[in-house]
Amino acid sequence: MPLNIEKIRGDFPILQTQVHGKPLVYLDNAATTQKPQVVIDAVTDYYTTMNSNIHRGSHYLANLATEAHENARKTVQKFINAQYDHEVIFTRGTTESINLVAFSFGEAFIHPGDEVIVTELEHHSNFVPWQMLCERRNAHLRMVPMTKDGELDLEVYANLLNEKTRMVAFNHVSNSLGTINPAKKIIQMAHDAGAAVCVDAAQSIQHIDHDVRDLDADFYVFSGHKMYGPTGIGVLYGKEKWLDAIPPYQGGGDMIDQVTLEKTTYNKLPFKFEAGTPNIVGPIGLAAAIDYLNSLPFDEIMAYEDNLLEYGRGLLQNIDGLTLYGNAKKRTSILAFNIKGIHHYDVGTLLDTQGVAVRTGHHCTQLIMKALGVSGTVRPAIALYNTKEELDTFEAALHKVKKMLGK
């Protein structure tokens, strides 16, 4: 049966908001998604019925909270098809997950003269940590360029891979262009060269299929708030062999086994990488978001969002002076554009006066903006609760923006 979009929209209370007297059209989903009532209820329920620190308590509330937290880890494991639940590490978000891998993997496996490969499509959070690692370890950072259509140049990538390559880091979906990168092929090529791989799934986890074992990803990272969950919670999946082989990222409580003046030994996985009191409610809210997504037919979500994306592209292509960015053969969710003679920030500000929420700027992808020859773009991004009627409203609002500015 097709998705019941009106019912889905009713699950997200914020979508009933009025902005400047107009119904909210929320198209800033690549920055963060809205939350269904079940997620809000899960967070509230934790604070009202089981609020306690976890793992070391011996009382009723501590046991409740610990069980809910660790059940959330199992929920994530099943959602991404990890082999073990201890391969799921909870972090603050995608950025912390990548920094953890860059630091800990770097400490163990990156030496002077080694090479790390990133791509021109990366968010700064999947570029700067690797750059910092290379500076710290006297290694070399290499970059796979993108084509004019916003796809990775895999011929250049193949030529960059060599016996010195230790890590390849790339995003599954570009947050600025919506390009769906051929993750499985990129990973296989890296493995054939003897390199490990870290996949940034922040923009893919909610839009396309995700199976870490099918991809054969070594590390796979994402954030809860991009997939209808709370902010401040992220996931690092790592193959057991890698998580065992790399040192902890932070020291503190819960990540230790034995502490003496002479030496500290570390806790077993996953706690080795979860120092201090965690964001206990974050995984609980994330699990509620996953349960919500699992209640819907994911193939129908993908088809619906693909249809919306192409409908939106068709609308924008009819606007004089508008340039669309990102023409990859495989793409999802993102409608990035500029209008000739109008600054992207002005477009976003004037759209807001009409109740339409979009993101403007360089989207933490200055490498992409430089390649496009622009300072930034307007970036509407769709989610499963958006509609064609909202995109029609968005198009009409753009025409008003042009008229207001005499363009």
Side-chain angles (χ1 to χ4, degrees):
M1 294 182 64
L3 293 173
N4 186 337
I5 300 302
E6 285 308 307
K7 182 180 183 304
I8 289 172
R9 288 181 61 80
D11 294 335
F12 292 80
I14 204 170
L15 298 182
Q16 307 307 312
T17 301
Q18 296 278 313
V19 176
H20 305 300
K22 297 178 175 61
L24 170 66
V25 175
Y26 186 79
L27 296 172
D28 195 19
N29 295 292
T32 197
T33 52
Q34 298 304 337
K35 319 308 172 192
Q37 188 64 51
V38 290
V39 170
I40 299 169
D41 289 345
V43 171
T44 301
D45 181 65
Y46 166 77
Y47 283 120
T48 55
T49 68
M50 66 181 84
N51 181 47
S52 174
N53 215 324
I54 59 173
H55 293 150
R56 295 179 300 279
S58 58
H59 57 83
Y60 176 75
L61 291 181
N63 291 333
L64 277 182
T66 298
E67 183 179 15
H69 186 270
E70 293 308 314
N71 283 341
R73 198 186 306 275
K74 291 181 173 64
T75 297
V76 174
Q77 173 204 353
K78 293 175 183 176
F79 187 64
I80 62 174
N81 195 30
Q83 187 169 2
Y84 307 112
D85 63 349
H86 59 252
E87 293 178 318
V88 173
I89 311 298
F90 288 130
T91 67
R92 289 181 301 158
T94 303
T95 298
E96 185 175 49
S97 295
I98 295 170
N99 275 274
L100 189 163
V101 177
F103 179 85
S104 295
F105 184 91
E107 287 295 297
F109 294 108
I110 303 296
H111 303 100
D114 287 343
E115 298 183 0
V116 174
I117 295 177
V118 294
T119 88
E120 197 170 26
L121 287 176
E122 299 314 308
H123 188 283
H124 294 160
S125 64
N126 201 31
F127 183 91
V128 177
W130 302 109
Q131 188 177 56
M132 294 169 67
L133 163 64
C134 289
E135 291 171 353
R136 189 169 67 248
R137 306 293 288 180
N138 198 24
H140 303 292
L141 190 67
R142 308 301 187 199
M143 186 174 75
V144 181
M146 70 177 191
T147 69
K148 61 181 178 59
D149 290 327
E151 298 178 333
L152 292 179
D153 190 327
L154 295 187
E155 289 188 12
V156 173
Y157 172 53
N159 290 329
L160 286 175
L161 288 165
N162 64 75
E163 70 280 358
K164 295 181 180 179
T165 308
R166 297 290 175 262
M167 172 64 72
V168 175
F170 71 97
N171 57 38
H172 204 163
V173 169
S174 164
N175 73 300
S176 281
L177 301 178
T179 303
I180 301 175
N181 289 312
K184 199 167 183 178
K185 182 175 182 178
I186 292 170
I187 292 169
Q188 183 61 60
M189 291 170 69
H191 287 170
D192 287 347
V197 180
C198 181
V199 182
D200 173 0
Q203 295 294 335
S204 62
I205 192 72
Q206 72 279 48
H207 294 300
I208 62 176
D209 286 327
H210 38 268
D211 183 330
V212 295
R213 280 193 279 177
D214 180 62
L215 288 175
D216 199 21
D218 299 297
F219 301 99
Y220 186 86
V221 302
F222 57 94
S223 297
H225 74 102
K226 304 280 177 107
M227 53 178 295
Y228 314 106
T231 55
I233 182 64
V235 169
L236 161 62
Y237 158 81
K239 287 181 179 177
E240 181 185 62
K241 67 172 186 177
W242 288 117
L243 295 178
D244 279 336
I246 62 178
Y249 177 48
Q250 295 178 320
D254 221 26
M255 54 74 67
I256 58 88
D257 177 29
Q258 296 293 322
V259 177
T260 67
L261 178 60
E262 293 74 27
K263 182 176 178 58
T264 293
T265 56
Y266 305 128
N267 205 344
K268 63 183 180 180
L269 297 176
F271 312 115
K272 171 183 171 183
F273 294 100
E274 295 181 353
T277 298
N279 175 7
I280 301 166
V281 73
I284 294 170
L286 174 58
I290 290 173
D291 288 342
Y292 180 78
L293 284 173
N294 284 339
S295 74
L296 303 171
F298 199 75
D299 58 340
E300 291 288 339
I301 293 174
M302 290 190 294
Y304 178 76
E305 290 183 345
D306 287 347
N307 184 263
L308 268 188
L309 179 68
E310 295 313 309
Y311 182 79
R313 287 178 64 87
L315 294 177
L316 294 182
Q317 286 167 345
N318 292 327
I319 297 177
D320 291 338
L322 187 146
T323 300
L324 265 172
Y325 303 106
N327 296 299
K329 294 181 180 67
K330 292 186 177 181
R331 54 182 181 250
T332 185
S333 67
I334 303 295
L335 294 163
F337 68 91
N338 277 317
I339 298 176
K340 185 176 181 180
I342 308 177
H343 196 275
H344 48 83
Y345 180 81
D346 293 336
V347 175
T349 300
L350 292 175
L351 284 174
D352 177 65
T353 66
Q354 300 175 71
V356 179
V358 298
R359 185 70 38 166
T360 64
H362 57 65
H363 318 300
C364 292
T365 55
Q366 291 183 358
L367 295 170
I368 292 178
M369 298 304 131
K370 182 179 179 181
L372 295 176
V374 299
S375 62
T377 66
V378 184
R379 186 194 67 181
I382 62 174
L384 64 87
Y385 42 63
N386 290 126
T387 66
K388 287 184 177 180
E389 290 75 18
E390 286 184 314
L391 293 178
D392 290 336
T393 299
F394 165 56
E395 181 204 20
L398 277 178
H399 285 293
K400 289 181 182 178
V401 168
K402 289 188 65 181
K403 186 175 182 181
M404 292 165 68
L405 296 177
K407 299 295 181 179

